[in-house]
Amino acid sequence: SAMRPSLSETCLKMVEAIEFTRQLDDGVHPELWKDADVIIIGLSRAGKTPLSIFLAQRGFKVANYPVVPDEQPPKELFDPAIQGKCIALTIEPGRLASIRQERMADFGRSTSTYSSLQNCTKECRWLKTFYMRHGPRWPQIDTSSGALEEQAAKIIKLLKAKAGEEASSPKYA
């Protein structure tokens, strides 16, 4: 129908979203966060990048930022203009340790402080405090279990609710 975007327009928007998301992975270019549809925040290996790419393939421009204990985030993270775009990822310490241990094994390393359960427990505790202080209104999504699609669906529902759209309708149908 005349009201629906053309296929080429839909594809172009998706390609733009993927390119934007690729360029803003891992906290890069905070000055462009204002142009994102959503900003995903979480610990290292909590699932930010896979979620970002999945959402980008659905036409959302996504930035993500890896919070690191005792590292000062860029001032842009606290910009009032982007607070409504922020999504806070949480994860159980045991799951985080497991993911990080797999990652270390990929690099031929068996043990590290980074992937230890003790360290992951400490980081997850720190993260709760960080969110209470800096993002008390950020919706939280737990990435400990459940499929990527389920986690993304929760984020899309939040985005659509903010936009006042019906949660069941796809962004580009």
Side-chain angles (χ1 to χ4, degrees):
S1 80
M3 297 303 288
R4 290 176 65 171
S6 69
L7 182 61
S8 59
E9 186 183 329
T10 300
C11 287
L12 185 62
K13 283 187 188 316
M14 187 180 70
V15 169
E16 284 173 4
I18 292 169
E19 188 57 22
F20 178 93
T21 300
R22 193 184 61 73
Q23 289 177 0
L24 273 72
D25 188 38
D26 218 24
V28 180
H29 297 298
E31 72 280 4
L32 298 177
W33 290 352
K34 65 188 180 318
D35 301 325
D37 294 314
V38 63
I39 300 149
I40 298 176
I41 299 139
L43 295 170
S44 169
R45 314 266 24 116
K48 295 176 304 300
T49 297
L51 264 173
S52 297
I53 299 299
F54 189 92
L55 290 167
Q57 290 170 338
R58 278 136 192 89
F60 295 96
K61 291 181 176 177
V62 187
N64 74 64
Y65 178 71
V67 282
V68 178
D70 307 319
E71 194 176 278
Q72 185 59 42
K75 67 183 184 315
E76 288 86 351
L77 188 60
F78 310 116
D79 179 351
I82 70 157
Q83 297 309 298
K85 299 177 179 190
C86 294
I87 303 282
L89 300 188
T90 61
I91 189 167
E92 293 168 9
R95 179 72 183 127
L96 183 61
S98 174
I99 293 167
R100 287 181 174 181
Q101 285 159 11
E102 286 174 25
R103 182 72 170 160
M104 291 292 96
D106 289 345
F107 289 111
R109 295 189 47 200
S110 56
T111 58
S112 74
T113 302
Y114 166 76
S115 64
S116 73
L117 180 57
Q118 182 182 4
N119 181 65
C120 291
T121 301
K122 189 175 108 185
E123 283 191 34
C124 289
R125 224 179 271 137
W126 174 87
L127 187 66
K128 283 181 184 167
T129 304
F130 178 85
Y131 287 156
M132 282 190 281
R133 282 193 189 136
H134 300 294
R137 292 203 175 96
W138 298 344
Q140 293 186 14
I141 304 281
D142 187 343
T143 59
S144 303
S145 60
L148 176 71
E149 294 83 358
E150 293 168 28
Q151 296 159 7
K154 289 176 186 173
I155 293 172
I156 291 169
K157 189 174 180 180
L158 287 165
L159 294 173
K160 296 214 177 268
K162 281 183 186 148
E165 296 175 27
E166 188 173 322
S168 61
S169 66
K171 184 163 181 180
Y172 303 114

